[in-house]
């Protein structure tokens, strides 16, 4: 990833490219049964380029990395933020589905996480 970011920066393409690095879910340091547990309540993602603030750490988990404890960001918030950086207002980008006004960010309340943007 460092080589990709360095290359994009050298070519002047990093400002126009969004790099998203995430995983399916987090893993706990404990195990039950045959392997480590999965946890959905706290995991790490990082972003580079495309107007994201470099060197920013936002949020925290408990001492086991099991659940988010500070500055929780939902998947819907991540999607709203990415759409915002692409110039799309997630709240206005709706479509009818089974009688509901649906959005790419779901029907739950969500927000753009301005604190991680440059």
């Amino acid at each position: 990833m460092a080589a990709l970011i360095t290359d994009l920066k050298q070519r002047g393409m990093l400002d126009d490219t969004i790099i998203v690095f995430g995983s399916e879910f987090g893993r706990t340091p404990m195990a039950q049964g045959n392997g480590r547990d999965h946890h959905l309540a706290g995991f790490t993602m990082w972003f580079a380029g495309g107007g994201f603030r470099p060197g920013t750490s936002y949020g925290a988990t408990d001492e086991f990395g099991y659940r988010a404890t500070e500055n929780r960001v939902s998947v819907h918030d991540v999607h709203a933020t990415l759409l915002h950086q692409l110039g799309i207002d997630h709240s206005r980008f709706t479509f009818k589905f089974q009688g509901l006004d649906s959005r790419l960010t779901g029907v739950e309340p969500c927000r753009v996480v301005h604190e991680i943007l440059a």
Side-chain angles (χ1 to χ4, degrees):
M1 296 309 301
L4 173 64
I5 292 169
T6 300
D7 187 57
L8 288 171
K9 191 171 185 175
Q10 286 174 347
R11 296 170 189 265
M13 298 170 63
L14 188 58
D15 291 341
D16 298 327
T17 304
I18 297 173
I19 299 170
V20 180
F21 187 89
S23 65
E24 180 182 1
F25 43 71
R27 292 284 198 164
T28 63
M30 307 75 84
Q32 291 179 345
N34 295 329
R36 292 186 322 181
D37 290 341
H38 303 100
H39 58 89
L40 306 173
F43 58 93
T44 301
M45 295 183 75
W46 62 260
F47 306 89
F52 284 86
R53 185 177 296 159
T56 299
S57 180
Y58 186 79
T61 61
D62 61 20
E63 63 273 12
F64 296 109
Y66 187 75
R67 112 177 41 256
T69 57
E70 295 176 24
N71 298 326
R72 291 182 60 137
V73 175
S74 72
V75 172
H76 304 290
D77 295 338
V78 170
H79 291 165
T81 304
L82 288 168
L83 288 168
H84 173 79
Q85 290 306 95
L86 295 172
I88 299 170
D89 180 353
H90 74 95
S91 66
R92 298 188 67 206
F93 197 63
T94 63
F95 58 95
K96 288 282 189 197
F97 180 71
Q98 296 181 347
L100 295 174
D101 286 332
S102 297
R103 297 188 310 261
L104 291 175
T105 53
V107 295
E108 297 84 5
C110 63
R111 69 184 185 94
V112 174
V113 186
H114 290 282
E115 296 86 351
I116 63 173
L117 301 177

